[in-house]
Amino acid sequence: MASRAQVAEACSADLADRFQSVRSLSVDLAVPLSDADATVQSMPDASPAKWHLAHTTWFFETFLLRDHAPGYVAHDDRWAYLFNSYYEAEGPRHPRPHRGLLTRPTLAEVRDYRGRVDEAVLNAMPLLAKACPDLLTLGLHHEQQHQELMLTDLKHLFSCNPLDVALWPAQPRGHTEAPALRWIERPSGLVEVGHADGAGTFAFDNEQPRHPHYLAPHALANRPISNGEWRAFIEDGGYRMASLWLSDGWDWCNREGIGHPLYWRESDGAWEQFSLSGWQAVDDADPVTHISFYEADAFASWSGARLPTEQELEAAAQGADPHGGIQLDGPGPVTPRCPEDGSGLLSLFGNVWEWTGSAYRPYPGFRTAEGAVGEYNGKFMSSQLVLKGGSCATPRGHMRASYRNFFHPHQRWQFTGLRLAKDC
């Protein structure tokens, strides 16, 4: 039997390996970027890649090294103001819409900052693994969230450039055909949802506590909606039928002139979409993505169906492999792909985040964690909708059935799609 010291050493080594793996991927994603690429902010919802690289580093420097490593001296005291995101307990911060004005520090200086903090964390790992392993794990999952954000923010940035920028070469693929859309009846009755405390695996605070929930009789579509099916919605005038839309959605659609998913355009009678490999033909078999909740809800109405609840999708995903599906494994032009046909529910993890009809609100018995990290999720539980399942840009190993993503109903720069549901 291993001694307590051996167990502690193994835990420290495992955390060190995971720390290095996660931190390396962030740097690898930024390899193709110039200093200008990494500095520009294309809209207030997005952040510069340089800011993502620095903010995730500030998280480790502040909440681990400053608070748990005696004698640690901050790399630059001024940078806390620049790279704090929304932690009120950590004091004032640079306005989010102005992050793209930070021409200094340079990308090279931010990379140096990352290297220095990484070295300090690894040197202190035996102490940190003992004093705050849960906080260290939280920091790693926090960084994985920012890896996905880096990719989606870069996609939006380069879509604004008329030079048809390709950050990575397109990946070759053969012809595909979407599996037939089938309805799969799901069990009804009382189910347990949410992450179980003491389960031995990581979860964010908004996934807890685990609790019972009643599911009415329902069925789920076997796969996400495809580009081809969305094209039929467009051709049938779906964006012009007020009867399909929620009032707020119809106002948004008309105010913004919305007539197709984000990153789509018509060229010589055919649809193209912008990707991290530049403009590509829309493949009808692939899942539709970059749609808002408003669009997803209108499509569901047009289809004579509805959006699933978050509990319906979570219950369905509890028996699926969260490491499966199309997810992020390394740098490259991430994009949703047509799932392989098969029985049961396809693409429950990866490919596209699936909009639900559920408001992002606390679970019964939810309690905000103490300290600044308690601001991580709880204070955003208003006016947003839950999404489930992850996307092609979600780092593999980050996802689980209880995971709750959340966005405002008009937002669509993330890899958001939908799966239909209906009552039985």
Side-chain angles (χ1 to χ4, degrees), residues 218-229:
H218 67 284
L220 295 175
N222 62 318
R223 58 163 172 78
I225 291 301
S226 70
N227 287 324
E229 289 156 339

Side-chain angles (χ1 to χ4, degrees), residues 11 72 96 110 231 310 319 324 407:
C11 177
Y72 178 78
R96 178 174 180 170
V110 167
R231 196 161 48 80
E310 67 165 311
F407 284 102

Side-chain angles (χ1 to χ4, degrees), residues 324-337:
I326 298 172
Q327 301 184 49
L328 179 66
D329 294 305
V334 294
T335 188
R337 293 299 191 199

Side-chain angles (χ1 to χ4, degrees), residues 194 206-209 211 310-311 314 361-366 404:
N206 65 354
E207 302 170 49
Q208 301 175 70
H211 60 282
E310 67 165 311
Q311 293 86 2
E314 179 171 338
R361 294 291 293 148
Y363 283 159
F366 172 79
R404 307 175 78 200

